């Protein structure tokens, strides 16, 4: 919405922004592609009543402000995925499937969304980015 408003109201362009969306804690699952959601929907969508078989952020809808991962990638947005949260998800996959947590984590890394980078901890990335004059916008 920041970029769309900047374009529509201020006649700017997407490249005016260096925007990083950080998927951390409960939102870390949104950093993984549809193949992983199809395979592990019960784990990735564990807090949802009916976990979808694809990443809910891959389709523009009212629930995500008519945004999608593909549209955000097109606008140059980068994604940070919390490694600590991803390791928690990997532990759940390992327990459910019998693979090791490291094998499950490797599968998560391989199935990350485009423009994604794994970071040590989402909260640490947010505070470090502020040291470099990035603004922090938090959304639930």
């Amino acid at each position: 919405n920041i970029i769309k408003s900047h374009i529509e109201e201020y006649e700017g362009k997407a490249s005016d922004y260096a925007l990083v969306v950080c998927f951390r804690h409960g939102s870390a699952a949104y950093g993984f592609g549809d193949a992983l959601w199809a395979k592990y929907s019960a784990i990735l969508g564990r807090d949802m009543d009916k976990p979808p078989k694809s990443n809910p952020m891959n389709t523009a809808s009212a629930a995500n402000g008519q945004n999608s991962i593909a549209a955000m990638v097109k606008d140059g947005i980068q994604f940070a995925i919390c490694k600590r949260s991803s390791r928690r998800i990997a532990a759940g996959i390992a327990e459910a499937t019998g693979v090791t947590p490291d094998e499950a984590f490797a599968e998560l890394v391989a199935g990350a969304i485009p423009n994604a980078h794994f970071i040590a901890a989402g909260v640490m990335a947010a505070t470090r980015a502020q040291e470099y004059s990035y603004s922090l916008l938090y959304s639930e």
Side-chain angles (χ1 to χ4, degrees), residues 49-115:
D49 290 333
K50 291 179 75 176
K53 295 290 185 184
S54 62
N55 184 332
M57 290 297 298
N58 276 344
T59 303
S61 69
N64 63 21
Q66 298 302 327
N67 291 304
S68 68
I69 297 291
M72 289 186 275
V73 167
K74 183 179 174 193
D75 284 339
I77 294 173
Q78 299 292 310
F79 299 97
I81 304 172
C82 176
K83 196 181 285 186
R84 293 184 64 83
S85 297
S86 298
R87 289 231 177 250
R88 180 186 43 79
I89 293 168
I93 291 170
E95 185 177 318
T97 64
V99 301
T100 69
D102 286 341
E103 290 170 325
F105 181 73
E107 185 177 11
L108 291 175
V109 170
I113 59 174
N115 286 7

Side-chain angles (χ1 to χ4, degrees), residues 24 136-140:
R24 58 176 285 275
L136 174 65
L137 176 64
Y138 177 80
S139 178
E140 290 187 25

